[in-house]
Amino acid sequence: MTILGIDLGTTNSAMAYVKNGQPEIIVNARGERTTPSVFQRNVSGELVVGSVAKNQYASLPEQTVLEVKRKMGNAEAIHIGESSYLPEEISAHFLKYLKQSAEDFLGEKVTEAVITVPAYFSDAQRKATKIAGEIAGLKVERILNEPTAAAIAYGYEHQGDEKNIVVYDLGGGTFDVSVVRLDGAQIEVKASAGDNHLGGMDFDRLLVDWLAEQFADQYEVPLFSFGEEVEITQRHARVKLEAENVKKTLSSAQTATFHLPFLAVYEGQPISLDYTITRDEFDDLIGSSIRMTLAHTDKVIVDAGLSVSQIDDVILIGGATRIPLVQQLVEHKFQKTAKKDINPDEAVALGAAVQGEMNNEAFTDETSLMVIDVCPYTLGTDILRVVKGKRESGHFDILIHRNEPLPAVAKKIYHTVNDNQETIDIGVYQGDDEDERVRDDLKITDEPIIVDGIPKNVAGAEKVEIAFHYDVNGLIQIEATILSTGRKITQALDVQRGIMSNRQVKEAKLTLFEDWEKSKLATEMKATIRRAKKIRRHAEPQQAIQIDEAIQHLERVIQEGEAELVKEKEERLLDLLMEIIE
Ligand code: AMP
C-alpha cells in the first residue's frame, strides 16, 4: 500500500512516493511535477485545480481561491458564488486532486498520506491540515514539519554523514529555518523558528504596490480606484500574476518589465502599462523581509547551541530561495555556498514520502533512519502571581519550552487561590521562553478549559495537576486531574477555535464527493452546451428561446448532480438541435 508524501504549499503543492527504496515525485494529471495551489469553481459547477485554474485567475478572480494555506486554522468562510467553504475544505479539494492524480499514476487506490506543514504552524493550523486530508479521503499518517521533511530527503541521500545542517525554507507564504544534526542514520532537529506570514507572495505584493505607485505618479489616480468593482478585481488579479512573473524574471535578469496591455480604461482612454524595475530596486523592496529571515536563522543557531562556523551544509528549500539576494545573504552569513544538489520545489514532498515508509519493515531493513523533531514554540498557561502584595493575572507559566524533542509531556501542579473555589480555568498560550506575560494574540484556545468539580476547601488546599502532551504531529492535548478526587478532564483542543467536529468532517467529505461528481457531469456536458450556444446564434427567435430553456434545464440538473436526469436533458437538447438543423 503506497503512502503518499504531500507538500501542501501556499502557492504550489507536490507529491511523492517511495519506489524500490527511492523517493520519487509523482506527476499530476497534466504531467507536472508541482501543482499550483489554486482552486476554481466556475458557474457551471466545474471544479478546476492547478495551473489551469491559475491561468484563468485573471479572468475569473471571483471564482478562484489562492493562498488558502494562510487561512488554515481560522474558521473564516471563503465564498465562491453562492457556495461557502472553510479553508480546510478548499485544501481538501487540492488533496483530492492530488490523490486522484496519484491513483491514476500508480494504478492503485491511495488512502494514506504524510502531509507537511510549516514547522511554525500552530495547533489549529495543523489540525485543520489533518482534517483537510480526512475530507479528501486520506488517513493522515503524520503531519510533518516541512524543514524536517527536507532534512529527511537530504539525510536519506547522505546516509552516514555526520554534519550540522541548516535548512532555510522560504516558500510562497511561510518561512521556516531549522538546525538539524545528521548523525549516521539519525536525523535530529536541534531547533526550529519561523514566520507564518513571510514568503514569495509577500514579495509579489510589494511589487504590486511598487507598480501602483508608478501608476499613481504618472496618472495621478490610484490604480485600483476606478472602474466597476469586477474590473478592479480582474485588474488586481492580472497585476498580481504579472508581479510574480517579474519577480521570477529578476532571479535571472537584472531588469524586468511589467507588461500589461489594455489593463484599464481611464477617462475613456485605454491604458497599457510597461514599467521596468531593476533587480536593485527589487532588492530594496524585499531587503527588510530577508533580514528578518536572517535574524530567525541566528536565533535557531543559538538555540541549537552552535555557532555559524559549526554549520557544515546549508540547504535552501522553497521557490523563493531562487531569489539572488536570498542566496547571497545566506551564503555570506555562512561563508559557504548553499547545496545545489537538492531541488527546492521537491525536497519536502520527497522527505514526506520517506517518512511515510518509515514504519514499513521492508523499507527499514534497508535503512534504519531515525528522525527526532522538536516543538517549535514555547507552550504554557496563564496564572495569577502575587506581585508586590497584589494579585496579578496573565502571567505566562511555561510547561513546554521551545525546541524540546517530541513527543513532549509536561506536568505542573496548581492550587486554588480562593476559599471554596470550585473551578480553575486553564488558558493555553503559545509564546517564547523569554515571555513573562501571556499574549492574547498567541492564545491557542478561544475559551479556557474549565476544570470544574473541585471540592470546596480553603484557599490553596485543593490541587490540580495539568499535563500538556505535545505529540509527534505537533498536536496538543491537555489533561487536568483534581488530585483530591482523581477526577480527570481531558481536552483535545479541537472543540475550540471552530475546528470541525467529526460529524462536520463526515458531511464535508460527502459534499466534496458530490461536488466532484457534479463537476464531472459539468465537464461532460460542456461540449453539448457549447454546440447548442453556437447553433442558437443562427436560430429563429422562437427556436432560440427553446434552446435557452433546454440549456437551463440541463444546467439545473447538473447542479443537482443527477446523472440520469442529466443524460435525459442532454438528449432532449440534442434532439432539439437536430430538429433545428434539419
Ligand atoms: P513553494 O511554496 O516552495 O513552491 O514556493 C513558491 C514561491 O516561490 C512562490 O512565491 C513563487 O513565486 C516563488 N518562486 C518560484 N520560482 C521563483 C524564482 N525563479 N524566483 C523567485 N521566486 C520564485
Side-chain angles (χ1 to χ4, degrees), residues 225-372:
S225 68
F226 57 91
E228 303 272 321
E229 203 177 316
V230 46
E231 277 167 36
I232 297 177
T233 315
Q234 286 187 351
R235 190 179 311 151
H236 196 270
R238 268 187 75 192
V239 172
K240 188 175 151 79
L241 287 177
E242 185 65 354
E244 189 184 10
N245 289 335
V246 163
K247 174 186 70 178
K248 288 185 179 170
T249 304
L250 287 171
S251 290
S252 52
Q254 289 297 332
T255 61
T257 301
F258 281 87
H259 179 59
L260 293 157
F262 304 107
L263 179 67
V265 176
Y266 182 57
E267 293 183 340
Q269 295 297 316
I271 296 181
S272 298
L273 296 189
D274 274 290
Y275 289 125
T276 298
I277 182 167
T278 66
R279 188 188 283 176
D280 285 347
E281 285 171 303
F282 176 62
D283 288 352
D284 281 346
L285 293 179
I286 63 167
S288 65
S289 301
I290 309 301
R291 278 189 291 279
M292 239 144 72
T293 68
L294 297 176
H296 284 297
T297 309
D298 285 333
K299 182 173 150 193
V300 275
I301 294 170
V302 171
D303 280 356
L306 297 172
S307 64
V308 167
S309 61
Q310 288 173 293
I311 302 299
D312 300 298
D313 290 348
V314 179
I315 298 166
L316 299 179
I317 302 294
T321 59
R322 293 203 177 87
I323 296 172
L325 181 70
V326 172
Q327 298 187 1
Q328 266 163 34
L329 294 181
V330 173
E331 292 182 347
H332 181 259
K333 169 174 280 306
F334 291 99
Q335 293 292 304
K336 53 172 58 84
T337 342
K339 289 282 156 190
K340 297 276 171 0
D341 58 342
I342 188 148
N343 185 318
D345 302 323
E346 299 179 357
V348 170
L350 294 172
V354 173
Q355 171 70 53
E357 287 295 321
M358 245 174 243
N359 291 334
N360 177 342
E361 267 174 44
F363 185 73
T364 37
D365 280 352
E366 273 174 58
T367 161
S368 53
L369 216 58
M370 182 173 158
V371 182
I372 301 166

